[in-house]
Amino acid sequence: MSEFKNGKILLVDKPWGWTSFDIVKKIKNSILTATTKKENLKIGHAGTLDPFATGLLIVLTGKYTKKVNEIQNYKKIYTGIIKLGCETLSFDSETKEQNFSSVSHITPQLIKKISKKFLGEIDQYPPYFSALKTKGKRFYEYARKGLKIIIKSRRVKIYKFHILKIGIPYIKFFIECGKGTYIRSIAQEFGKALRSGAYILSLRRERIGNFSMNYSSLELNFSKEFTCYLLD
């Protein structure tokens, strides 16, 4: 228990369907269950992953929770698949497809051309289904009730945007981005730029700064549902 209070970095390969809070809660309960004393333990994550997304989630314990803001500022790398020709309310696969549109005019050349327009600093609108707050409530709380809210654009930075594979209506991509970037919003705006609908079908976070799942560290068995490594 003392080692976790002093501070540890845990690298979790988050599975589909789990929230970031679910992971933190599971790990905290596992650590506290292992001790006979009633103790408090600070624990948190450095950067939310949506339930539909998979990949790297960094969990910090004890004194290392002070590093949350530092780690959140690191560049992040994602891979995933965009589906063209329709949209969803959440900009991802968690809600139903709607607003179907033609993809007959879309070519691989056009896709690659449009992708270059997303490089550098861009303005984007966060999804309605997000954990951002306004007037004390999360955006998704308003969205689930069908309530409209005013969402302001925010400045984010895209360092790399590579199209890895095209099989219309599907596009496999690689993105390296800065803090606060919503990949779901990029997919939605990408569709608009192509004069079609689009949403994120699948998404995986591969890296945060120099952190990735490619570590030969000690594997901790907190749960059968996900893999977690203790960074030395």
Side-chain angles (χ1 to χ4, degrees), residues 48-68:
T48 302
L49 264 182
D50 293 321
F52 87 99
T54 65
L56 178 60
L57 180 72
I58 297 179
V59 176
L60 305 170
T61 72
K63 295 177 182 178
Y64 278 20
T65 54
K66 295 178 182 179
K67 296 177 178 285
V68 166

Side-chain angles (χ1 to χ4, degrees), residues 56-108:
L56 178 60
L57 180 72
I58 297 179
V59 176
L60 305 170
T61 72
K63 295 177 182 178
Y64 278 20
T65 54
K66 295 178 182 179
K67 296 177 178 285
V68 166
N69 290 334
E70 175 190 338
I71 293 175
Q72 285 180 334
N73 284 325
Y74 294 163
K75 294 179 183 177
K76 300 172 181 65
I77 290 177
Y78 297 87
T79 58
I81 296 174
I82 294 173
K83 183 178 180 181
L84 303 174
C86 56
E87 299 176 332
T88 70
L89 286 174
S90 57
F91 301 174
D92 61 36
S93 57
E94 288 199 284
T95 52
K96 293 182 179 180
E97 293 180 348
Q98 62 180 22
N99 301 333
F100 294 90
S101 54
S102 174
V103 296
S104 61
H105 64 285
I106 300 175
T107 64

Side-chain angles (χ1 to χ4, degrees), residues 8-232:
K8 289 294 182 182
I9 298 177
L10 306 174
L11 305 180
V12 180
D13 193 346
K14 191 190 86 64
W16 185 93
W18 286 64
T19 67
S20 300
F21 177 75
D22 288 338
I23 297 290
V24 170
K25 184 179 178 181
K26 182 71 174 181
I27 292 175
K28 184 174 183 178
N29 288 342
S30 297
I31 295 173
L32 293 178
T33 300
T35 179
T36 56
K37 298 179 181 179
K38 289 187 177 180
E39 298 186 61
N40 293 320
L41 175 66
K42 287 184 178 180
I43 185 168
H45 62 78
T48 302
L49 264 182
D50 293 321
F52 87 99
T54 65
L56 178 60
L57 180 72
I58 297 179
V59 176
L60 305 170
T61 72
K63 295 177 182 178
Y64 278 20
T65 54
K66 295 178 182 179
K67 296 177 178 285
V68 166
N69 290 334
E70 175 190 338
I71 293 175
Q72 285 180 334
N73 284 325
Y74 294 163
K75 294 179 183 177
K76 300 172 181 65
I77 290 177
Y78 297 87
T79 58
I81 296 174
I82 294 173
K83 183 178 180 181
L84 303 174
C86 56
E87 299 176 332
T88 70
L89 286 174
S90 57
F91 301 174
D92 61 36
S93 57
E94 288 199 284
T95 52
K96 293 182 179 180
E97 293 180 348
Q98 62 180 22
N99 301 333
F100 294 90
S101 54
S102 174
V103 296
S104 61
H105 64 285
I106 300 175
T107 64
Q109 292 77 18
L110 179 60
I111 289 171
K112 291 177 181 179
K113 179 181 178 181
I114 293 298
S115 68
K116 294 177 182 178
K117 295 183 179 181
F118 284 79
L119 292 172
E121 291 190 353
I122 63 171
D123 290 314
Q124 73 166 199
Y125 290 88
Y128 280 110
F129 284 80
S130 67
L132 293 175
K133 282 187 174 182
T134 182
K135 296 181 180 179
K137 291 185 178 181
R138 304 285 184 184
F139 282 15
Y140 62 74
E141 293 181 74
Y142 293 99
R144 287 171 181 168
K145 293 179 180 179
L147 302 175
K148 294 291 183 181
I149 56 174
I150 297 174
I151 298 180
K152 297 180 180 179
S153 65
R154 51 200 282 175
R155 200 77 169 166
V156 298
K157 191 165 185 178
I158 310 299
Y159 297 93
K160 297 177 183 178
F161 187 2
H162 299 316
I163 304 300
L164 302 179
K165 190 174 182 180
I166 299 172
I168 297 173
Y170 303 105
I171 304 170
K172 187 175 182 180
F173 66 88
F174 169 105
I175 283 180
E176 182 178 16
C177 59
K179 180 182 178 180
T181 305
Y182 277 92
I183 308 301
R184 287 182 288 153
S185 291
I186 289 178
Q188 197 259 356
E189 291 159 7
F190 194 71
K192 285 185 177 180
L194 289 169
R195 293 184 289 114
S196 176
Y199 72 91
I200 289 286
L201 184 64
S202 66
L203 183 67
R204 179 173 178 81
R205 185 155 65 195
E206 305 284 356
R207 181 177 289 273
I208 300 174
N210 290 323
F211 298 107
S212 74
M213 295 306 302
N214 298 321
Y215 280 89
S216 57
S217 308
L218 175 65
E219 182 174 344
L220 300 180
N221 187 24
F222 288 126
S223 172
K224 294 180 180 178
E225 291 87 0
F226 61 83
T227 302
C228 179
Y229 294 103
L230 174 64
L231 195 63
D232 297 331

